[in-house]
C-alpha cells in the first residue's frame, strides 16, 4: 500500500472537516435569513460545532482497542451524517443538532489519523507525515471555504453542506481502499488512557496550544472589519485576501512538518510562536497600511499552521498508553483557544478601542505560549538530548 495514497486519504478527511467547520462562518447570513433567526443567534451554530468537538474527542476512550482503520471509517460516517443532516435542516434547532453531530468526529478523527500517519511514516519523517494529514484542513481554507461561499451566493446554502456530505462519501471510499489495516492499541484500561495527564509535559503542550491559537484568534475573528475599516480594503477584495491567508496556512503547514523533523517539534513551536507575536505587534502599528496589513496577515496565518503538526506530534509522543485521547485533546485545546481568543480579542473593542488592538492582545497570548514551549523544550527535549549523549 502506497504511503502517499494513505496520507492522501487521511488528508481528504481533514479537508472535509475543515469545510464543515469553517464554511458555516462564510454562509452564516444566508442560513440565518432562510431560517429566520438573527445573526447573533445564528452564531450558536458555530458554537454547536465546537461543543461537538469537545464531546466527541473523549469517546475514543471506549474505542481504544478497535482497529484504527475501523475507527476512521466510523468517524467519516459520522461526518457524512452530520453534513447531510445540516443540508436537510428546516429549523434553528434541527441545524443545532446537525452542527453538534458534525463536530463529534472532528477531534477524534485528528487523534486517530495522526497516529496512523505516524505509524505509516518512515523513520525521522513523523512530523512531515502528520503535516501531510493536516494539509487537508489548510486546503479547505484556501479553496473549500471560498467555493462554499460562491455556491451559497449563487445557488443555496444547503448545497454547501450536501457537497460536504458527498465529499465525506468519497473520503470513506478512499480510506477503505488506501489506508492499510492497523490493529488497535494495547488495552491499558479505562484509567490507563488518562494516566499520561499525571505528568507535566502534556499539560505544557496543551497550554502552549491554547495560548498560540488564542493569540491568533484574538485578531483573526475580527480580520474582516480590520481589513476594511482600518487597512482600507474594499469588501470585494476581502475574499481574495482570505485566499491569500489560506495560502499562508498551506505553506506554514508544510514548513512546520519539515523543520520539526530536522530540528525538534518543541523548538519549532517556540520559535514560530515568537514570530507570531512579532507579526501581531507589527499589525498593531502598521494595520493602517494595506500592504503591510496583508503581508503580516500572511505571516500570522502561516505561523498558525506551522505549529499545528509539531503540537500534534508532541502530544502523541508524550501520551503513552493514551495516544488516541492525547491526539484528540489537542483538537479540544485548539477549539478552546479559538473561543478564548474570540472573547479576549473583543475586549478592547467593547471598551471603545480600534481593531488593531485585537492584534496587541493576541501578541500577549503568543508570547506567553512561546515561553511555555521554551520551558517545555528546556525540561524535556534538551534534557533528553543530553541524556542520549551521555548514554552514547
Amino acid at each position: 500500500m502506497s504511503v502517499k495514497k494513505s496520507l492522501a486519504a487521511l488528508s481528504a478527511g481533514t479537508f472535509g472537516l475543515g469545510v464543515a467547520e469553517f464554511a458555516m462562518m462564510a454562509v452564516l447570513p444566508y442560513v440565518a435569513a432562510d431560517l429566520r433567526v438573527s445573526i447573533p443567534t445564528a452564531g450558536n451554530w458555530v458554537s454547536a460545532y465546537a461543543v461537538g468537538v469537545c464531546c466527541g474527542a473523549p469517546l475514543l476512550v471506549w474505542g481504544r482497542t478497535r482497529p484504527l482503520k475501523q475507527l476512521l471509517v466510523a468517524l467519516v460516517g459520522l461526518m457524512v451524517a452530520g453534513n447531510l443532516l445540516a443540508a436537510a435542516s428546516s429549523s434553528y434547532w434541527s441545524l443545532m443538532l446537525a452542527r453538534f453531530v458534525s463536530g463529534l468526529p472532528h477531534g477524534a478523527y485528528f487523534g486517530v489519523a495522526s497516529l496512523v500517519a505516524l505509524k505509516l511514516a518512515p523513520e525521522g519523517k513523523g512530523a512531515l507525515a502528520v503535516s501531510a494529514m493536516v494539509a487537508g484542513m489548510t486546503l479547505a481554507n484556501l479553496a473549500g471555504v471560498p467555493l462554499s461561499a460562491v455556491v451559497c451566493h449563487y445557488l443555496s446554502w444547503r448545497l454547501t453542506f450536501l457537497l460536504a456530505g458527498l465529499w465525506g462519501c468519497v473520503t470513506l471510499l478512499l480510506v477503505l481502499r488506501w489506508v492499510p489495516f492497523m490493529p488497535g492499541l494495547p488495552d491499558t484500561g479505562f484509567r490507563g488512557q488518562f494516566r499520561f495527564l499525571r505528568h507535566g509535559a502534556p499539560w505544557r503542550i496543551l497550554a502552549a496550544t491554547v495560548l498560540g491559537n488564542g493569540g491568533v484568534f484574538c485578531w483573526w475573528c475580527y480580520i474582516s472589519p480590520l481589513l476594511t475599516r482600518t487597512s482600507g480594503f474594499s469588501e470585494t477584495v476581502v475574499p481574495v485576501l482570505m485566499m491569500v491567508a489560506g495560502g499562508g496556512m498551506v505553506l506554514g503547514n508544510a514548513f512546520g512538518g519539515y523543520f520539526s523533523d530536522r530540528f525538534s517539534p518543541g523548538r519549532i513551536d517556540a520559535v514560530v510562536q515568537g514570530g507570531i507575536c512579532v507579526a501581531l505587534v507589527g499589525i498593531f502599528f502598521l494595520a493602517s497600511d494595506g500592504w503591510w496589513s496583508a503581508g503580516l496577515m500572511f505571516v500570522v496565518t502561516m505561523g498558525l499552521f506551522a505549529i499545528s503538526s509539531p503540537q500534534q506530534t508532541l502530544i502523541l509522543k508524550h501520551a503513552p498508553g493514551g495516544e488516541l485521547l492525547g491526539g484528540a485533546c489537542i483538537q479540544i485545546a485548539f477549539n478552546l483557544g479559538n473561543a478564548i481568543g474570540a472573547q479576549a480579542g473583543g475586549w478592547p473593542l467593547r471598551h471603545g478601542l480600534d481593531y488593531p488592538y485585537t492584534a496587541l492582545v493576541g501578541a500577549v497570548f503568543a508570547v506567553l505560549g512561546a515561553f511555555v514551549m521554551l520551558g517545555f523544550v528546556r525540561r524535556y527535549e534538551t534534557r533528553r538530548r543530553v541524556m542520549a549523549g551521555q548514554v552514547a
Side-chain angles (χ1 to χ4, degrees):
M1 189 76 67
S2 168
V3 173
K4 290 184 178 180
K5 285 185 176 181
S6 299
L7 292 175
L10 298 176
S11 184
T14 60
F15 179 89
L17 290 170
V19 172
E21 181 177 14
F22 294 110
M24 178 56 78
M25 302 172 193
V27 305
L28 196 66
Y30 300 92
V31 187
D34 188 36
L35 299 185
R36 299 179 182 179
V37 300
S38 66
I39 294 292
T41 301
N44 292 330
W45 293 324
V46 177
S47 301
Y49 188 96
V51 172
V53 174
C54 296
C55 292
L59 295 179
L60 284 177
V61 172
W62 285 275
R64 60 188 181 274
T65 61
R66 307 303 302 173
L68 298 180
K69 183 173 180 176
Q70 191 178 99
L71 289 175
L72 286 174
V73 169
L75 292 168
V76 174
L78 200 55
M79 183 197 315
V80 172
N83 283 304
L84 294 182
L85 280 172
S89 296
S90 58
S91 69
Y92 169 80
W93 287 110
S94 62
L95 187 53
M96 281 286 282
L97 175 63
R99 293 295 292 166
F100 176 78
V101 173
S102 295
L104 285 174
H106 187 113
Y109 182 90
F110 270 89
V112 178
S114 297
L115 191 56
V116 172
L118 279 178
K119 287 180 175 293
L120 289 169
E123 183 68 28
K125 300 292 183 181
L128 193 60
V130 172
S131 73
M133 180 273 297
V134 175
M137 180 71 76
T138 66
L139 292 173
N141 282 279
L142 176 65
V145 174
L147 179 61
S148 298
V150 171
V151 168
C152 177
H153 181 75
Y154 289 102
L155 298 170
S156 168
W157 66 267
R158 296 181 187 278
L159 186 57
T160 296
F161 293 105
L162 177 61
L163 291 174
L166 294 176
W167 179 260
C169 294
V170 172
T171 301
L172 191 61
L173 293 174
L174 293 179
V175 168
L176 288 169
R177 187 174 179 83
W178 287 350
V179 176
F181 173 83
M182 290 184 179
L185 300 178
D187 189 4
T188 57
F190 183 83
R191 291 184 180 180
Q193 293 288 294
F194 296 89
R195 194 169 292 130
F196 73 95
L197 293 173
R198 296 178 181 177
H199 305 287
W203 289 107
R204 291 181 189 232
I205 297 166
L206 294 172
T209 302
V210 170
L211 289 167
N213 262 53
V216 173
F217 273 79
C218 283
W219 153 84
W220 182 249
C221 288
Y222 307 96
I223 184 64
S224 182
L226 184 146
L227 290 173
T228 54
R229 300 180 188 182
T230 304
S231 303
F233 291 104
S234 68
E235 291 186 0
T236 56
V237 177
V238 171
V240 178
L241 293 174
M242 292 299 99
M243 293 186 69
V244 171
M249 295 176 187
V250 173
L251 194 61
N253 179 61
F255 282 164
Y258 176 77
F259 286 109
S260 290
D261 284 328
R262 290 202 54 157
F263 300 99
S264 75
R267 282 180 168 80
I268 295 302
D269 191 298
V271 169
V272 172
Q273 290 215 44
I276 289 173
C277 173
V278 173
L280 288 171
V281 171
I283 290 173
F284 172 71
F285 287 107
L286 301 170
S288 58
D289 186 306
W291 289 108
W292 271 107
S293 185
L296 290 169
M297 175 191 69
F298 181 87
V299 172
V300 175
T301 56
M302 184 169 63
L304 175 64
F305 273 86
I307 60 177
S308 180
S309 59
Q311 289 166 345
Q312 198 84 39
T313 304
L314 280 172
I315 197 67
L316 292 177
K317 290 182 178 180
H318 290 273
E323 291 88 350
L324 291 179
L325 184 61
C329 281
I330 278 289
Q331 296 303 313
I332 295 177
F334 283 144
N335 281 270
L336 182 60
N338 298 352
I340 293 174
Q343 292 300 312
W347 183 84
L349 303 180
R350 290 190 292 271
H351 287 77
L353 298 174
D354 206 354
Y355 287 100
Y357 281 89
T358 62
L360 192 61
V361 175
V364 175
F365 277 72
V367 74
L368 289 175
F371 277 117
V372 169
M373 189 50 67
L374 282 173
F376 170 87
V377 169
R378 171 179 284 188
R379 184 174 178 85
Y380 297 100
E381 291 190 343
T382 303
R383 180 180 297 180
R384 182 175 297 177
R385 289 191 175 191
V386 170
M387 292 177 64
Q390 291 174 346
V391 171

